[in-house]
Amino acid sequence: MTTNYKETFDRFSLYFLAILISPILFGGVLAIYSIISFEDSWGFGPTVLLGALYSFPFFAFAAFPISLYIDFSARFKGYPNWIKALLFAGFGSLAGLFGSVVLYDLFPITFMFLFGMIGGLINFLILALIKKGIR
Protein backbone atom coordinates (compact mmCIF):
# COMPACT_ATOMS: atom_id res chain seq x y z
CA MET A 1 0.00 0.00 0.00
CA THR A 2 1.45 3.37 -0.92
CA THR A 3 1.83 6.06 1.70
CA ASN A 4 -1.00 8.18 0.31
CA TYR A 5 -3.47 5.32 0.52
CA LYS A 6 -2.21 4.32 3.95
CA GLU A 7 -2.58 7.88 5.24
CA THR A 8 -6.11 8.12 3.83
CA PHE A 9 -7.01 4.74 5.34
CA ASP A 10 -5.61 5.80 8.72
CA ARG A 11 -7.66 9.00 8.67
CA PHE A 12 -10.89 7.23 7.74
CA SER A 13 -10.29 4.50 10.32
CA LEU A 14 -10.18 7.13 13.09
CA TYR A 15 -13.55 8.46 12.04
CA PHE A 16 -15.06 4.97 11.69
CA LEU A 17 -13.85 4.14 15.20
CA ALA A 18 -15.49 7.32 16.50
CA ILE A 19 -18.71 6.38 14.71
CA LEU A 20 -18.68 3.00 16.47
CA ILE A 21 -17.95 4.41 19.95
CA SER A 22 -20.13 7.54 19.88
CA PRO A 23 -23.54 5.80 19.71
CA ILE A 24 -22.65 3.66 22.71
CA LEU A 25 -21.70 6.69 24.80
CA PHE A 26 -24.76 8.56 23.55
CA GLY A 27 -26.89 5.57 24.51
CA GLY A 28 -25.33 5.76 27.98
CA VAL A 29 -26.24 9.43 28.31
CA LEU A 30 -29.75 8.70 27.08
CA ALA A 31 -30.06 5.77 29.52
CA ILE A 32 -28.97 7.92 32.46
CA TYR A 33 -31.47 10.59 31.45
CA SER A 34 -34.21 8.00 31.02
CA ILE A 35 -33.53 6.33 34.37
CA ILE A 36 -33.41 9.64 36.26
CA SER A 37 -36.42 11.34 34.72
CA PHE A 38 -38.75 8.44 33.94
CA GLU A 39 -37.67 5.85 36.53
CA ASP A 40 -37.20 3.43 33.66
CA SER A 41 -37.85 -0.21 34.45
CA TRP A 42 -35.69 -1.57 31.62
CA GLY A 43 -32.40 -1.01 33.37
CA PHE A 44 -29.21 0.55 32.16
CA GLY A 45 -27.93 -2.08 29.70
CA PRO A 46 -30.99 -2.54 27.50
CA THR A 47 -31.60 1.21 27.40
CA VAL A 48 -28.00 1.82 26.29
CA LEU A 49 -28.39 -0.81 23.57
CA LEU A 50 -31.65 0.69 22.35
CA GLY A 51 -30.22 4.22 22.40
CA ALA A 52 -27.14 3.07 20.50
CA LEU A 53 -29.25 1.28 17.88
CA TYR A 54 -31.50 4.29 17.34
CA SER A 55 -28.63 6.76 17.18
CA PHE A 56 -26.19 4.77 15.04
CA PRO A 57 -27.76 5.74 11.69
CA PHE A 58 -27.62 9.41 12.67
CA PHE A 59 -23.95 9.14 13.59
CA ALA A 60 -23.13 7.08 10.49
CA PHE A 61 -24.99 9.15 7.90
CA ALA A 62 -24.82 12.63 9.43
CA ALA A 63 -21.88 12.85 11.83
CA PHE A 64 -19.37 10.99 9.66
CA PRO A 65 -19.48 13.24 6.58
CA ILE A 66 -19.92 16.41 8.62
CA SER A 67 -16.95 15.61 10.85
CA LEU A 68 -14.81 14.89 7.80
CA TYR A 69 -15.90 18.20 6.27
CA ILE A 70 -15.19 20.21 9.42
CA ASP A 71 -11.80 18.61 10.05
CA PHE A 72 -10.42 18.53 6.50
CA SER A 73 -11.89 21.47 4.64
CA ALA A 74 -9.69 24.47 4.05
CA ARG A 75 -12.46 26.70 5.36
CA PHE A 76 -12.34 25.33 8.92
CA LYS A 77 -8.66 24.31 9.01
CA GLY A 78 -7.40 27.12 11.22
CA TYR A 79 -10.35 27.34 13.58
CA PRO A 80 -9.75 26.61 17.27
CA ASN A 81 -11.24 23.51 18.86
CA TRP A 82 -13.96 25.36 20.76
CA ILE A 83 -15.39 26.74 17.50
CA LYS A 84 -15.24 23.25 15.99
CA ALA A 85 -17.07 21.93 19.07
CA LEU A 86 -19.78 24.56 18.51
CA LEU A 87 -20.03 23.50 14.86
CA PHE A 88 -20.40 19.85 15.88
CA ALA A 89 -23.09 20.84 18.39
CA GLY A 90 -24.91 22.94 15.78
CA PHE A 91 -24.89 20.22 13.15
CA GLY A 92 -25.86 17.69 15.83
CA SER A 93 -28.86 19.81 16.77
CA LEU A 94 -29.92 19.83 13.11
CA ALA A 95 -29.61 16.04 13.09
CA GLY A 96 -31.70 15.97 16.27
CA LEU A 97 -34.41 18.03 14.59
CA PHE A 98 -34.35 15.63 11.67
CA GLY A 99 -34.53 12.78 14.19
CA SER A 100 -37.63 14.30 15.75
CA VAL A 101 -39.29 14.10 12.34
CA VAL A 102 -38.13 10.52 11.75
CA LEU A 103 -38.90 9.20 15.24
CA TYR A 104 -42.08 11.30 15.37
CA ASP A 105 -43.42 11.14 18.93
CA LEU A 106 -40.67 9.38 20.86
CA PHE A 107 -39.39 12.62 22.42
CA PRO A 108 -40.48 16.27 22.11
CA ILE A 109 -38.69 18.48 19.58
CA THR A 110 -36.77 20.44 22.20
CA PHE A 111 -35.35 17.28 23.73
CA MET A 112 -34.35 15.96 20.31
CA PHE A 113 -32.66 19.30 19.62
CA LEU A 114 -30.72 18.99 22.88
CA PHE A 115 -29.98 15.29 22.35
CA GLY A 116 -28.57 16.17 18.93
CA MET A 117 -26.32 18.80 20.47
CA ILE A 118 -25.12 16.32 23.09
CA GLY A 119 -24.51 13.71 20.38
CA GLY A 120 -22.49 16.18 18.32
CA LEU A 121 -20.37 17.09 21.33
CA ILE A 122 -19.86 13.43 22.20
CA ASN A 123 -18.67 12.76 18.65
CA PHE A 124 -16.30 15.75 18.83
CA LEU A 125 -14.87 14.62 22.18
CA ILE A 126 -14.40 11.04 20.99
CA LEU A 127 -12.61 12.25 17.86
CA ALA A 128 -10.37 14.55 19.89
CA LEU A 129 -9.49 11.76 22.34
CA ILE A 130 -8.77 9.29 19.55
CA LYS A 131 -6.59 11.79 17.71
CA LYS A 132 -4.61 12.61 20.87
CA GLY A 133 -4.30 8.96 21.83
CA ILE A 134 -3.03 7.75 18.49
CA ARG A 135 -0.61 10.57 17.74
Side-chain angles (χ1 to χ4, degrees):
M1 195 180 306
T2 65
T3 50
N4 289 338
Y5 290 127
K6 184 179 180 332
E7 183 179 335
T8 304
F9 177 76
D10 290 344
R11 284 183 180 180
F12 278 113
S13 64
L14 295 176
Y15 289 90
F16 280 126
L17 181 62
I19 294 304
L20 293 176
I21 295 172
S22 295
I24 297 168
L25 289 177
F26 181 73
V29 169
L30 189 62
I32 291 170
Y33 167 75
S34 177
I35 288 171
I36 290 172
S37 62
F38 299 121
E39 298 175 9
D40 190 15
S41 63
W42 279 20
F44 186 75
T47 308
V48 169
L49 180 64
L50 185 67
L53 287 175
Y54 272 121
S55 66
F56 180 75
F58 293 102
F59 281 105
F61 295 119
F64 180 71
I66 289 171
S67 61
L68 284 175
Y69 176 69
I70 289 174
D71 285 343
F72 294 112
S73 72
R75 182 177 188 181
F76 300 113
K77 198 76 157 168
Y79 285 15
N81 281 338
W82 67 273
I83 292 178
K84 288 183 181 181
L86 288 176
L87 287 170
F88 273 82
F91 283 117
S93 64
L94 290 176
L97 290 176
F98 178 72
S100 69
V101 171
V102 171
L103 298 175
Y104 190 57
D105 253 350
L106 192 59
F107 292 105
I109 292 175
T110 55
F111 285 127
M112 291 300 285
F113 183 80
L114 291 173
F115 288 153
M117 288 178 102
I118 292 169
L121 289 175
I122 286 173
N123 192 22
F124 174 76
L125 291 174
I126 293 297
L127 279 172
L129 288 174
I130 289 172
K131 287 177 186 176
K132 291 212 188 252
I134 291 181
R135 290 184 186 181

